[in-house]
Amino acid sequence: MRVAAPHPDFPTLTVVDHPLVRHKVTLLRDRETSVKTFKELVDEIAMLMAYEATADLAVEPIPVETPLESTTGWAVAGKKLVLVPILRAGLGMVEGILRLVPSARVGHIGLYRDHDTLEPVDYYFKVPGDAESRDFLLLDPMLATGGSAAAAVSSLKRAGANSVRLLCLVAAPEGVRKMADAHPDVHVFTAALDRQLNESGYILPGLGDAGDRLFGTR
């Protein structure tokens, strides 16, 4: 089994098809899963996905002294990493990735949909000022219609970002296509590619509203 290979039908999508990820996503879907367990699962899946999404980070050799002798090790080189959760559900993915990359900076994007234009609008946007010199991981558990994610990427690009990847837990084909059309340079990593959206825009089979299940507001 190939892990983290690009999807054959969606060149900009990678499904992280690791056995542990598939197992944890199944628990995540279960309507009986408690808020506490749901948070823990989101945290764990995000960390496992970030491991795959950062597999091509550049490294450089550095000297290191072991207890026995001098040798050469490796350190991550090049651009610094920034995690950007889309509020509010994206917050649940941050801590797991920070345990993997504790030096990463954290930005935030808040979006709402304008009632007249139906277009996403930033109500909060904060990222490091040197965006052009950083790699961004945009975090949102659900890629449904793709509207919010595409708008968030546009906001990052306006701030100067030229290296963005999207990490989500569950994606719908409609959202993947939207992202590919709007931002063909942005690769999407997901733990599961689901069947479709229903008439209300929810992913099927999905896992419900990730924000409500994370914060106990369902």
Side-chain angles (χ1 to χ4, degrees), residues 9-187:
D9 298 327
F10 301 102
T12 61
L13 176 72
T14 292
V15 179
V16 181
D17 196 25
H18 191 283
L20 289 176
V21 172
R22 287 195 282 176
H23 173 81
K24 292 176 186 295
V25 168
T26 300
L27 298 174
L28 204 63
R29 293 188 193 276
D30 191 337
R31 64 188 302 168
E32 300 302 323
T33 296
S34 68
V35 170
K36 177 180 181 295
T37 302
F38 193 91
K39 287 180 180 177
E40 293 169 350
L41 289 166
V42 169
D43 182 273
E44 293 164 359
I45 295 168
M47 182 167 62
L48 290 168
M49 292 183 63
Y51 179 83
E52 299 289 0
T54 57
D56 61 351
L57 289 180
V59 294
E60 60 185 1
I62 61 168
V64 62
E65 295 289 334
T66 79
L68 300 177
E69 64 179 26
S70 299
T71 188
T72 299
W74 299 93
V76 175
K79 296 181 178 180
K80 301 299 184 181
L81 196 64
V82 182
L83 313 181
V84 184
I86 298 178
L87 303 177
R88 65 182 166 142
L91 292 171
M93 300 175 68
V94 172
E95 290 302 321
I97 302 176
L98 279 178
R99 284 201 299 278
L100 191 66
V101 194
S103 63
R105 301 288 181 87
V106 180
H108 296 87
I109 295 179
L111 297 167
Y112 72 90
R113 190 171 299 278
D114 186 276
H115 290 297
D116 296 324
T117 66
L118 300 181
E119 293 298 317
V121 178
D122 294 347
Y123 68 83
Y124 188 81
F125 182 86
K126 187 72 172 179
V127 299
D130 55 346
E132 69 283 349
S133 64
R134 295 181 178 272
D135 287 318
F136 287 85
L137 293 183
L138 185 65
L139 311 177
D140 197 357
M142 315 293 290
L143 179 60
T145 65
S148 294
V153 172
S154 295
S155 295
L156 289 173
K157 288 182 174 180
R158 285 194 297 270
N162 50 44
S163 174
V164 182
R165 299 178 184 190
L166 172 65
L167 272 64
C168 58
L169 304 182
V170 178
E174 295 91 334
V176 176
R177 293 189 191 98
K178 170 73 174 180
M179 280 296 299
D181 290 342
H183 301 288
D185 58 326
V186 173
H187 203 84

